Amino acid sequence: MVGEEMSLRKRLSKSSDDPEEKEDQGNPAKQAHQFPPLGRVDIKELIAKKKQLTAEAEELKPYFMKEVGTHFDDFVTNLIEKSVSLDSGGCALTSFSVLGGVNNHRAKDLRAPPEHGKIFVIRRSLLDELFEVDHIRTIYHMFIALLILFILSTLVVDYIDEGRLVLEFNLIYYAFGQLPVVICTWCAMFLSTLSVPYFLFQHWARGYSKSSHPVIHSFFHGLLLMVFQIGILGCGPTYAVLAYTLPPASRCIVIFEQIRMIMKVHSFVRENVPRVLTSAKEKSRTVPVPTVNQYLYFLFAPTLIYRDNYPRTPTVRWGYVAMQFAQVFGCLFYMYYVFERLCAPLFRNIKQEPFSARVLVLCVFNSILPGVLGLLLTFFAFLHCWLNAFAEMLRFGDRMFYKDWWNSTSYSNYYRTWNVVVHDWLYYYAYKDFLWFFTKRFKSAAMLAVFAVSAVVHEYALAVCLSFFYPVLFVLFMFFGMAFNFIVNDSRKRPIWNVMMWTSLFAGQGVLLCFYSQEWYARQHCPLKNPTFLDYIRPRSWTCRYVF
């Protein structure tokens, strides 16, 4: 690197140190010979000079870009190291130490206040910054062009087959059916989440220091909260989904909101209980109970980590909000055309033949393209557009909902950067609390526990939304994903590992879409009259033979 830098400096200073040029400057005869008289321009000489300067610029460009990239990398690395040192210091306080060291309490007695955990700062989403670069925005335009081609393809095929333009969206109408039931279920979930946990926490906090039996007092309120989390918020929405036989997309809305509210309630209690315990030990007269407005803001804020206050932007850009929601609906129709043109013909044309390796391999490879498009559209629609729209409406300043996961050279980095919102919750409340409970030991066991929790929740959501249990995602996530997390770790930095990561990600999306779609169509066309519980967990696609 030093040699390249010296070479770059020599090239830049060549013009000023060239002795022939100095000699020419001192020789008026040569200058008169080189420059034509006024009014006359030597075109060939100008073209030759332009070619020479262009060649020198192209030769210097890679050295310049490498120099700029090196300084930028150093700057970003130092910034990340400072941020991590602050964050890790806060985490250490939160998980393993006691504030002030009063009476030499053990590390398990108290946790630090929430401001020593995740640090929120005002920052834009990464894609908002990248879209200001014309080269990156062109990729966005390419996806829009592909959507236009999907629409034209559908219209042309429908016109050829039907003799008219068929502007119907039966798949969307079916997937989002029974919306009144969804809205009523969501309102019941939200009102119960807003009132019950807050009331229980407020009653516990204000009576903790006054109670003669604080342990029994805490156990009673904790038991009530657990009953609410599992019995009401956990089972209630699931029962509504199954009882009303909601279609898949409507089920997704209810189940995802159910999981989000459970995680929000846990964060609210987890972050505020240590503050009440600290106040009681210090015998403070004021009890640190958040206001209803703070809790209400947190329920809508695009984060799963509770704070009393977040960094806020000064104004709301309503044009930006409208653009984000428009892009969400655009991605919805994009997904419709992907399923209509790529998925439905693939699975409808499966012939009546035994379940074999050939059928499976062809299905997986044909499912890779729609699977990857679905992955990218889901990321862009939810993690970028949807969360940024709510962040803008609430003037929520910290927009780092994801990082540059597409540059990952390891699965461990991919898991950390794909969904920062969920990763933060798992890191602070699953991984760090597991280490806190076991006094900073068993890090591998803590990581395994996080993988298990994440895999179980993902499989639960898929099982309820699709109305059958087919643990393909659980196997991929729990076994292959965890193995790749340890094998392809952060020490892999070469570009080939990014290629390997993308290759495995593409293959995984193909496997998921193939297996779940085959099972879905098998259960639609091979229904059972009196299904038992085993019929819901036994794969139907392995034995079903259907003809379209």
Side-chain angles (χ1 to χ4, degrees):
M1 188 64 200
V2 177
E4 292 177 356
E5 185 176 355
M6 294 298 295
S7 175
L8 178 61
R9 292 177 178 174
K10 288 180 180 180
R11 292 175 185 272
L12 293 174
S13 61
K14 182 178 180 181
S15 59
S16 60
D17 296 337
D18 195 343
E20 294 182 1
E21 188 174 334
K22 291 183 179 179
E23 182 180 352
D24 293 343
Q25 291 177 357
N27 193 339
K30 288 188 177 182
Q31 290 180 359
H33 176 71
Q34 290 176 357
F35 297 98
L38 294 175
R40 296 176 58 188
V41 179
D42 192 343
I43 301 299
K44 293 183 178 180
E45 185 176 352
L46 287 177
I47 294 176
K49 193 70 174 177
K50 183 177 180 180
K51 289 182 178 180
Q52 180 183 357
L53 292 174
T54 303
E56 291 179 357
E58 290 294 329
E59 190 176 357
L60 292 174
K61 185 186 294 183
Y63 296 101
F64 175 76
M65 295 301 296
K66 184 177 288 187
E67 187 74 13
V68 172
T70 302
H71 288 297
F72 180 76
D73 289 342
D74 293 340
F75 170 76
V76 173
T77 301
N78 292 333
L79 185 62
I80 292 175
E81 288 177 352
K82 292 179 180 179
S83 176
V84 169
S85 64
L86 288 173
D87 202 17
S88 62
C91 294
L93 283 173
T94 302
S95 303
F96 308 115
S97 65
V98 183
L99 287 177
V102 181
N103 297 328
N104 294 324
H105 292 294
R106 292 181 60 194
K108 288 186 181 181
D109 290 342
L110 287 176
R111 296 187 180 106
E115 58 266 20
H116 292 291
K118 178 179 172 62
I119 300 175
F120 290 89
V121 296
I122 295 181
R123 49 191 166 187
R124 301 170 64 192
S125 289
L126 185 56
L127 284 183
D128 282 341
E129 296 177 345
L130 291 178
F131 281 157
E132 294 180 357
V133 181
D134 292 337
H135 302 289
I136 304 299
R137 192 164 186 83
T138 300
I139 301 176
Y140 173 77
H141 296 160
M142 292 167 60
F143 275 89
I144 297 179
L146 187 60
L147 172 60
I148 295 174
L149 291 178
F150 274 128
I151 296 175
L152 290 177
S153 173
T154 304
L155 294 179
V156 170
V157 171
D158 289 341
Y159 184 79
I160 294 174
D161 294 340
E162 302 290 338
R164 61 185 179 88
L165 294 179
V166 182
L167 299 177
E168 298 177 355
F169 300 96
N170 295 330
L171 182 61
I172 295 181
Y173 293 145
Y174 163 72
F176 289 91
Q178 302 188 47
L179 280 181
V181 177
V182 175
I183 295 174
C184 293
T185 305
W186 184 88
C187 290
M189 283 194 299
F190 174 75
L191 292 177
S192 61
T193 304
L194 176 64
S195 58
V196 176
Y198 184 82
F199 171 78
L200 286 176
F201 175 79
Q202 184 184 53
H203 190 267
W204 170 81
R206 293 180 176 174
Y208 178 79
S209 58
K210 301 177 182 178
S211 176
S212 57
H213 301 284
V215 175
I216 299 177
H217 179 80
S218 301
F219 178 79
F220 176 73
H221 286 81
L223 182 62
L224 291 179
L225 181 63
M226 188 178 300
V227 170
F228 169 78
Q229 287 277 71
I230 299 176
I232 299 178
L233 199 55
C235 297
T238 306
Y239 173 79
V241 162
L242 298 178
Y244 289 95
T245 60
L246 298 182
S250 298
R251 292 189 178 204
C252 288
I253 295 174
V254 175
I255 297 303
F256 290 166
E257 282 296 285
Q258 172 200 40
I259 297 172
R260 184 182 70 91
M261 291 181 186
I262 290 175
M263 298 169 76
K264 291 257 187 184
V265 170
H266 180 85
S267 176
F268 174 76
V269 175
R270 163 65 179 80
E271 296 291 349
N272 285 287
V273 164
R275 300 164 58 185
V276 175
L277 296 179
T278 302
S279 174
K281 283 186 175 294
E282 295 175 351
K283 298 181 179 180
S284 176
R285 294 183 178 179
T286 59
V287 180
V289 177
T291 63
V292 177
N293 290 334
Q294 290 173 329
Y295 180 54
L296 178 63
Y297 181 89
F298 169 63
L299 290 181
F300 285 102
T303 180
L304 298 174
I305 307 295
Y306 175 81
R307 296 291 182 270
D308 288 340
N309 299 288
Y310 299 92
R312 308 283 290 275
T313 55
T315 58
V316 177
R317 299 171 296 170
W318 291 108
Y320 179 85
V321 174
M323 183 62 182
Q324 300 308 310
F325 281 124
Q327 290 181 131
V328 170
F329 286 105
C331 290
L332 176 63
F333 284 99
Y334 209 137
M335 287 291 295
Y336 164 76
Y337 284 109
V338 167
F339 275 95
E340 189 69 23
R341 303 307 307 162
L342 299 179
C343 295
L346 172 64
F347 297 102
R348 286 173 183 168
N349 294 330
I350 295 179
K351 297 180 181 180
Q352 185 179 5
E353 55 183 290
F355 186 85
S356 62
R358 179 183 178 277
V359 174
L360 182 62
V361 170
L362 289 177
C363 177
V364 169
F365 279 99
N366 290 331
S367 301
I368 287 178
L369 178 58
V372 171
L373 288 176
L375 173 73
L376 297 178
L377 289 172
T378 302
F379 158 75
F380 183 73
F382 179 71
L383 290 177
H384 179 73
C385 298
W386 186 265
L387 295 184
N388 269 292
F390 274 88
E392 187 67 30
M393 289 189 294
L394 295 172
R395 297 192 295 115
F396 186 83
D398 197 335
R399 312 287 174 86
M400 194 183 70
F401 309 124
Y402 55 88
K403 298 179 184 177
D404 58 336
W405 57 270
W406 48 85
N407 291 327
S408 300
T409 56
S410 66
Y411 266 88
S412 57
N413 184 70
Y414 169 74
Y415 292 140
R416 290 193 299 267
T417 55
W418 158 257
N419 188 342
V420 174
V421 179
V422 175
H423 171 266
D424 287 339
W425 192 93
L426 290 172
Y427 178 76
Y428 287 107
Y429 304 141
Y431 180 76
K432 298 297 289 185
D433 281 357
F434 185 96
L435 293 180
W436 165 79
F437 186 80
F438 290 101
T439 62
K440 215 173 183 179
R441 294 177 295 178
F442 310 114
K443 289 186 177 181
S444 298
M447 190 176 299
L448 178 63
V450 172
F451 268 94
V453 170
S454 182
V456 168
V457 172
H458 279 80
E459 194 59 44
Y460 159 76
L462 272 179
V464 176
C465 293
L466 298 179
S467 300
F468 58 82
F469 177 73
Y470 199 28
V472 180
L473 178 62
F474 181 84
V475 173
L476 290 180
F477 197 92
M478 192 64 188
F479 295 98
F480 292 98
M482 186 173 60
F484 287 151
N485 181 72
F486 287 101
I487 297 173
V488 188
N489 50 41
D490 290 332
S491 62
R492 317 292 186 177
K493 298 296 184 182
R494 299 179 61 184
I496 186 61
W497 293 106
N498 182 252
V499 176
M500 296 299 296
M501 196 276 296
W502 274 107
T503 304
S504 59
L505 196 61
F506 283 6
Q509 294 303 312
V511 169
L512 291 174
L513 182 60
C514 172
F515 275 81
Y516 282 109
S517 297
Q518 279 190 341
E519 185 68 19
W520 170 267
Y521 275 99
R523 290 180 178 270
Q524 294 296 315
H525 295 276
C526 296
L528 300 178
K529 293 183 179 180
N530 297 311
T532 62
F533 176 76
L534 291 178
D535 293 325
Y536 286 102
I537 64 176
R538 183 185 297 123
R540 195 84 51 85
S541 58
W542 294 4
T543 57
C544 176
R545 304 289 179 267
Y546 52 91
V547 181
F548 296 98

